[in-house]
Amino acid sequence: MRAMLRLLGRLPGVECTVATEEAALNAAYYNVSDAQFGRQDCNGCTSFRSVCQGPSGRRVVIEFLRMEFVLDSELAAPMRIHWDNNCDFTQSPPCKWFWNSQQFLFEGYLKQRRLPPDHIHVFQNMHDCSRRSPADFRRDLSWFLDVLDTNLHPGTNVYFWEAPHPTGSKQPDQWRNVTSPACMRRMNDAVKRAVAPFLERTAAAAANASAREQAWWYATFDLFGPTGGRPDLSEDGVHMRGDWYETLARALVAGTCGSGPGWRGSRGGSQESGDATRLARRA
């Protein structure tokens, strides 16, 4: 997302600024009652919200939301159970309890936004391989997809991006098994299989696009294959180089915003689309 801001900020007439950061506001960033932090051990996972202002008053809000795993408790709210007399019975349901990050973000934080997001990009990272068996991951993933499906606005478009290929020779010995290419491949394959029914539903609904009743889901983008033969793109075996992130950001901008007036780079939309084709093959 930082690379995306740098990319958009270089376009003629566009200015991007970070409006607010979790690192500065802590729990107040989310504006959710009694927000609580669990274990915070990911240095690059802090949420931030930014605004890019373009020509003719065009404005785009870009937000990165922390989600280190597909199921974790790094963001939560206090327990609310009716027999403890700590529920608001004027709400429905009266005892909504966000006991994990996914519920907190999608049932709490985003639900209260006046304008729901037009696009949500879910980037699968390598952390799940470090703590879960394949069966555990499939179960957690299925639960997460259900949370998404039942809480997203009908006008939202959802995209999934696979984890890139790790480079074991650049990693410390103790990490090579838990972030191995085999584990990444299993995890990415599980994502593709899990989202397939949602893709089919979206394809069927596209025939009557004027009557959207649910969020639309799109195929996963393959970042594993294109990075498999490019160990030079990785800094330490799992974190990629800055120019790789910028190429990925260009692909994301080209696919999400297109090349409409006011957002086209100096080289036009064709260069952005070409980068998208080379980097992000649809699985």
Side-chain angles (χ1 to χ4, degrees), residues 5-279:
L5 294 179
R6 291 194 296 270
L7 175 70
L8 291 176
R10 291 201 299 267
L11 298 179
V14 178
E15 182 177 357
C16 295
T17 58
V18 176
T20 182
E21 295 188 80
E22 179 196 61
L25 297 176
N26 297 319
Y29 174 93
Y30 299 99
N31 195 28
V32 174
S33 178
D34 299 323
Q36 296 179 338
F37 285 120
R39 179 180 177 182
Q40 303 287 303
D41 60 348
C42 177
N43 294 329
C45 294
T46 54
S47 302
F48 68 87
R49 186 165 57 254
S50 54
V51 176
C52 291
Q53 191 75 40
S56 304
R58 298 189 69 182
R59 181 174 179 267
V60 174
V61 176
I62 300 173
E63 183 166 21
F64 171 79
L65 291 176
R66 67 155 61 244
M67 203 179 76
E68 188 174 0
F69 304 97
V70 296
L71 176 57
D72 64 66
S73 298
E74 297 186 359
L75 288 168
M79 182 184 296
R80 294 181 175 91
I81 302 178
H82 68 276
W83 54 75
D84 289 336
N85 298 317
N86 57 4
C87 292
D88 182 355
F89 289 95
T90 65
Q91 297 180 349
S92 179
C95 293
K96 197 68 172 178
W97 170 27
F98 309 129
W99 60 270
N100 58 52
S101 301
Q102 290 66 36
Q103 290 178 324
F104 183 97
L105 291 172
F106 294 98
E107 295 183 354
Y109 175 64
L110 289 179
K111 276 284 190 178
Q112 69 181 9
R113 296 282 287 276
R114 183 176 63 86
L115 295 176
D118 296 314
H119 305 274
I120 290 182
H121 294 266
V122 182
F123 288 84
Q124 180 59 49
N125 60 45
M126 303 184 179
H127 291 191
D128 275 296
C129 269
S130 68
R131 67 162 196 163
R132 308 295 279 164
S133 72
D136 290 335
F137 176 73
R138 289 193 299 269
R139 183 174 60 248
D140 292 351
L141 176 65
S142 176
W143 180 88
F144 168 57
L145 297 186
D146 186 65
V147 170
L148 275 182
D149 188 50
T150 55
N151 286 285
L152 292 181
H153 187 271
T156 300
N157 300 302
V158 187
Y159 312 82
F160 279 79
W161 297 71
E162 299 177 17
H165 196 290
T167 303
S169 61
K170 294 185 177 182
Q171 294 178 262
D173 292 341
Q174 65 268 29
W175 293 113
R176 292 181 185 178
N177 289 333
V178 296
T179 55
S180 67
C183 186
M184 295 301 107
R185 190 179 294 109
R186 287 195 303 269
M187 188 172 62
N188 288 336
D189 288 345
V191 172
K192 285 187 285 189
R193 288 193 298 269
V195 303
F198 299 97
L199 308 184
E200 294 172 1
R201 188 186 70 192
T202 295
N208 187 19
S210 61
R212 289 182 60 164
E213 297 180 354
Q214 294 172 304
W216 282 13
W217 298 55
Y218 293 90
T220 55
F221 290 92
D222 176 18
L223 301 182
F224 185 86
T227 54
R230 294 292 306 275
D232 59 301
L233 294 177
S234 173
E235 291 185 343
D236 58 6
V238 294
H239 298 96
M240 310 300 281
R241 287 183 352 204
D243 55 346
W244 182 87
Y245 286 114
E246 186 159 316
T247 302
L248 180 59
R250 187 175 291 112
L252 193 153
V253 170
T256 302
C257 303
S259 55
W263 294 103
R264 180 176 297 174
S266 59
R267 292 178 294 181
S270 60
Q271 177 67 35
E272 295 174 350
S273 298
D275 286 335
T277 302
R278 286 192 294 271
L279 179 67

